[in-house]
Structure formats: C-alpha cells, structure tokens
Amino acid sequence: MDIALGLLVIVAVVCAGAAVGRRFNIPVPLLLVLAGVAGSFLPFIPPVELNPELVLVGLLPPLLYAAAFRTSLFDFKTNRRSIGLLSVGYVIFGTLGVGLVVWWLFPEIPLAAAIALGAVVAPPDAVAATAIARKVGMPRRIVNILEGESLVNDATALVCLRAALAAIAGSVSVLDVAGGFVVAAGGGLVVGLAAAYLLTEIRKRISNVAINTSTSLMAPFVAFLPAEAIHASGVLAVVVTGLVMGTKAPSMPNGAARQSARSNWDTVQFLLENAVFLLIGLQVRSIIDSVQDDSLGAGRVWLVCAVILLAVLVLRPVWVFPATYLPRLIPSVQRADPAPPWQFPAIVSWAGMRGVVTLAAVLTLPDDLEHRNVLVLAAMVVVAGTLVLQGFTLPPLVRALGLPGPDKREDALNQASLMQLATTAGMERLEQLRRDSDPPEVMDMLRRRTQERGLAAWERLGRSAAEAATPSQRYAQLRMAMLEAERDKVLELRRGGDFAHEVLSEVLERLDVEESMLDASLHELGAAAEGTGEGLSQPGGVCDHLTATMPSPAPANPSCAACEREGTTPVHLRMCLGCGNVACCDSSAGRHASRHFKESGHPVMRSIEPGEEWRWCYVDDLLG
C-alpha cells in the first residue's frame, strides 16, 4: 500500500511540476529538483532511499533508448569527432582531474576511491542535457553534440568506475583498464547491432499493434541485459540499438504500430525523466544527515565539496576549448569543418549538468569504504550545484552570447519545400499506377487531397498568428466540430442499446483516428496564437517591394563570401535581388543575409537553394 501511494504521489507531483514549469516558462527538471529538496525536509515524507540497481538497470536503459531513438544517426556521424572527444576524452580527463583534486584535499581517502568519485561526477547527464538544451533554443549543432555526448559518456564513466572499484578491492593494471575499455566498447557495439537487427526483423513480421508496441518497449532491456552478462557496456548497447532502430523505424511497415510506439514512448520518457529529477531532490536530507558525525569534520567536508564542484565546473572548459580548436590545426580537418566561433565551445563548456546516474553510480561504492558518506555527499553537491548554477544561468548566457536558435521561418520554409517534393513524388506514382478503368472521380479525389496537404504547409508561411486561420486550419476546426457532433450521436445511440458494443467501438475508433490526424493543425494554430504573436508575415495588403522586384537567376557556383572570410559554415544560401550579394541564412552562424539587409537596406532576397524560387521581403516580413 505504501509503495502504491508513493508511486501515485511521484506521478502526481511530476505532472503538476511539468504543468507549472511550462505555464511559467521555468525549466521543468530544475523545478522538480527543488520540489524534491523541499519535500525531503518535510516531516511527513519518509526518507527515500535511491536503489542504484533500480536506476542503472530499471531507469537508465529506457531513458537512453528513448533519447537515442530520437537522435539522428546522420547528425551523430557528422559530429562524431566532437562527440568522441567529449564522451571519451573529457570523461577520462575529468575522472583523473577530479580524482587528483579529491585525493589532494582528502589524503585520508585512498587514491582509487578518489578516482572512483571522479568517474562518478565526470559525465553530464543525458536527460538534463536533452531537456534543458532544447528548452533554451540553442543552435542545432550544439544540441546534437550535447545529446551525442550524453548518450555515450555514461559507458565511458562506468568503465572507469569499474576499474576504480577493482583497484579498491585489490589491484588493477593499466592493461586491465585498456582491456576493459575494448571489451566494453566492442561488446556493446556488437550486442547493440545484433539486438537492433533481431528486433527490427521481428517487428517487421508483427501486424498486431499491441504486440508490436510491446516489442518496442522491450528493446532497451533486450540490448542491455545480454551486454552486461558478457561484461560489455550495456549502456553503449542500448544507445546503438536506439540509434539504429530510430533510423530504420520510418521505413518499417504498419503506420499504426509506429504511431502507437511513439505515443507510448512519449509517456514513458515523460514519467521516467521527470521522476528522476524529483528523486534527486528527495535524496538531499538523508545524504546530509549521513555525514554529520564523520571524523573529517562537517565544516571541512562542506568546504571540500564546494571545491570539488568548482573543479568540475573549471575542468570542462579546460578540456572543451583545446578539443575544439586544436584538431582544426590539421588542414584537412579545418577544410572539412571550419572552426566555430568561441561562443560555441563556451556554451558546450557550461552545458554540463549532472543527474541521477551520478547519484546511482556513487551509491555502488562499497559499504565498508572509509568516508563513503562524504563521497556520496560530494556527488550530491555536484549534481545539485550543476543543475542549479548551470541550469538557471544557461538560458541568459545563450541570449547574452547572441547564439541564434533554429529559425522558425527557415524551418517552415524547409517543411513546405520538403512536403512539396513528397507530394510531387506521390503524384508521379499515381500517374504510373492509374489505369483506364479507374473512375475519374477517384483520381480527382486523390489529386485534390494530395495537393491540399502539400499546399497546407505553404499556407502557413504567408500569415501571422494574429490573422484568421489558413484554409487547411479552418477545415480542421470545422471538421473537429463535426467529429464532436458525430461522437455525441454515437454515444447517444450507445445508451439506447440498439447496437453491439463491438460495432460502436469500431466507429468510435475510426473517429478518433481522424481526430488525431487533425490535432496537429489545431495545435500548431493554438501554439502560434499563444506565443509571441508574430508569424511569418505581417498582416496587411500587397507588399510593394515584392511586386516591384522580380526573380533573377541564381549564380552558377554560389558561396557566402562573408562565411569564407570568417571561417563559418553556411546552412542555406540567399541572394539579394537589389545587388546580387550571396549570403547565408539566419540558421547559419553568421546570419549574413540579414546583416546585408541591415547594412544595405535592400529589402528583398531570394533563395538560391536547388528547387526553391521563393522570395522574402525583410521590410514587410512577407513571403513571395
């Protein structure tokens, strides 16, 4: 009964905290940590003991799988050098650095135990990095690097921790540590690939939605448990499985199963990742109480914990800045990937929040280890300190450094362009499959519905949120009202008892499927209306700048000269229709097209990306 009540309270607090955080624009992880800290000091809440086995085996695999499943394998491969330097190089550097600091400050603690603490606090947390980075609105490449780092670094840290625990128990050689890394990495990679292949082949052959979704929920443990059984990295196996299955998922059959799996994983990820932060806060009181009688002295313990937190904060930029710029001294690396502005490594340096894995790992230290409670407190201080200091200051730091997040206008244009290409491919296939015997009204209906879906994306580009809904959104509003009336009628007939329950359920399910398809349009309209109120264009009449400026052909080999001078990489290219200047878009680091408008006053530019011929008026914020 107590367990059921505890789980109910945790879920209720998580839901309430998430709702409050989103309502007042407060990072939900930080809010839940603070709620947990406050709750740990309430007399009617019993002490909560965090079982490390529960976290490392029960919570970590599904959390890592959910994050990996949503991570682009292509982005991961593109940033593999940066991710490797952070997830392997920085973790080893941080492990040794923090370990030496702890040993220097606490000579009473064995070096192996100090290095074990270093391994515990070295890896930033996957959940914290993903939750806060996306909330802040960082440039996509920084988010991709942080997500990739947080997926792999736990494997490195746990290998370092195993080596340190082996040294505490007896002796371990450098060869043993190197061999452990090879077995962990190689075994985790092989098991992850094998699990992904096995699960993909099984799910291809399962048409039942419930069974298919259940198989998806098994995936993290199918990868984790065999890898751990052969002393490989279960964490790495889960990440590899998630990356591969996430890449293959869109091409697998059974759209209903894909939608069901996404919906279920959204719920699982929401509950687990937010419950993790609440559990972190609930540990505070019991950990503080455990060190009150330690022979090292409370004052000395707290002072040293603060120094360890400072060391964790300092060691990350000490590694990140050289790791960012030194590889680019190699000409081939510099040509393929020019050095980013200093703001990029500055943000990566400060985005190093630690989380529940740190707490769970430190609790695996032997119970008979001298001053164990002090090491646990130090890990708690690092977790709480990084979450509060870095979590609360990261958003203003991103704004102060002027790093642009993803450009919503650019995303909307790309979405419309991509949808248009997909629509064209569908229409071409329709022409290939049509037969003379096909009813003309069926062909007309297919063409009309396909074209309407493609045009809906373009409709959203030419109106602000303050204006009336686009035709496709107005259709969704009216159809949703019709569906509500249809559902009410079915429910009324159900009360009469004239129709079988199976028949009623089938009709209601069909109505729900159509409603879910319309929800996206209405949600998008509502989000725009509740946001800044700014759309992709301003309401008003015809734009004289677009009317007076006609499209002109794109140059043969366009490039952004300003990006070449500054050593940055353009995302997309635009051309000024006033003077022909070619510059990069607002999703690029330099944002040179917008800067050219501010400097020259030329109002209209056009896209010179392949297949795009749209124009944009900077003065009126209008698409043409």
Side-chain angles (χ1 to χ4, degrees), residues 279-523:
L279 290 173
I280 289 174
L282 289 172
Q283 304 302 301
V284 170
R285 182 179 180 181
S286 60
I287 292 175
I288 292 176
D289 292 342
S290 66
V291 300
Q292 296 303 316
D293 299 327
D294 194 275
S295 61
L296 295 175
R300 183 186 175 198
V301 167
W302 281 104
L303 177 61
V304 171
C305 287
V307 175
I308 293 172
L309 172 60
L310 179 62
V312 169
L313 296 176
V314 170
L315 286 172
R316 186 165 172 87
V318 168
W319 175 268
V320 169
F321 275 89
T324 300
Y325 294 109
L326 288 181
R328 290 176 169 87
L329 295 178
I330 303 173
S332 59
V333 175
Q334 172 66 20
R335 286 193 300 270
D337 185 16
W342 66 269
Q343 291 92 337
F344 273 56
I347 292 298
V348 172
S349 298
W350 198 242
M353 293 73 70
R354 272 61 173 180
V356 72
V357 175
T358 293
L359 276 185
V362 79
L363 293 175
T364 63
L365 295 176
D367 292 333
D368 58 353
L369 180 65
E370 191 175 4
H371 308 298
R372 177 182 183 272
N373 291 334
V374 174
L375 298 179
V376 174
L377 176 64
M380 179 73 245
V381 169
V382 169
V383 171
T386 55
L387 281 174
V388 174
L389 290 176
Q390 296 179 323
F392 276 116
T393 58
L394 193 56
L397 179 62
V398 172
R399 290 192 294 268
L401 294 180
L403 286 177
D407 191 323
K408 292 183 179 179
R409 295 179 301 180
E410 193 75 29
D411 286 349
L413 287 166
N414 288 332
Q415 179 186 357
S417 178
L418 182 62
M419 184 63 73
Q420 186 65 42
L421 293 173
T423 299
T424 301
M427 297 295 289
E428 290 175 353
R429 177 58 62 87
L430 175 63
E431 295 302 321
Q432 294 172 2
L433 297 177
R434 64 170 300 182
R435 296 178 299 199
D436 294 337
S437 58
D438 288 329
E441 59 273 15
V442 173
M443 304 303 294
D444 291 340
M445 183 184 300
L446 284 169
R447 292 191 187 96
R448 185 179 68 253
R449 291 186 176 180
T450 303
Q451 290 171 345
E452 286 173 353
R453 187 189 60 187
L455 291 173
W458 290 104
E459 290 173 4
R460 292 189 287 272
L461 299 177
R463 295 177 182 238
S464 82
E467 292 186 274
T470 65
S472 60
Q473 290 166 336
R474 182 58 178 159
Y475 167 84
Q477 290 175 328
L478 295 174
R479 183 58 188 145
M480 287 286 280
M482 293 171 64
L483 286 172
E484 183 178 357
E486 293 171 17
R487 184 178 294 102
D488 290 343
K489 184 62 176 179
V490 174
L491 294 177
E492 177 186 338
L493 294 173
R494 184 179 65 176
R495 288 191 291 270
D498 295 330
F499 296 91
H501 175 73
E502 291 79 3
V503 174
L504 291 164
S505 298
E506 180 69 22
V507 173
L508 288 172
E509 183 177 344
R510 290 177 181 273
L511 296 178
D512 288 342
V513 169
E514 184 176 357
E515 181 180 340
S516 68
M517 296 171 64
L518 296 170
D519 267 341
S521 297
L522 290 179
H523 175 75

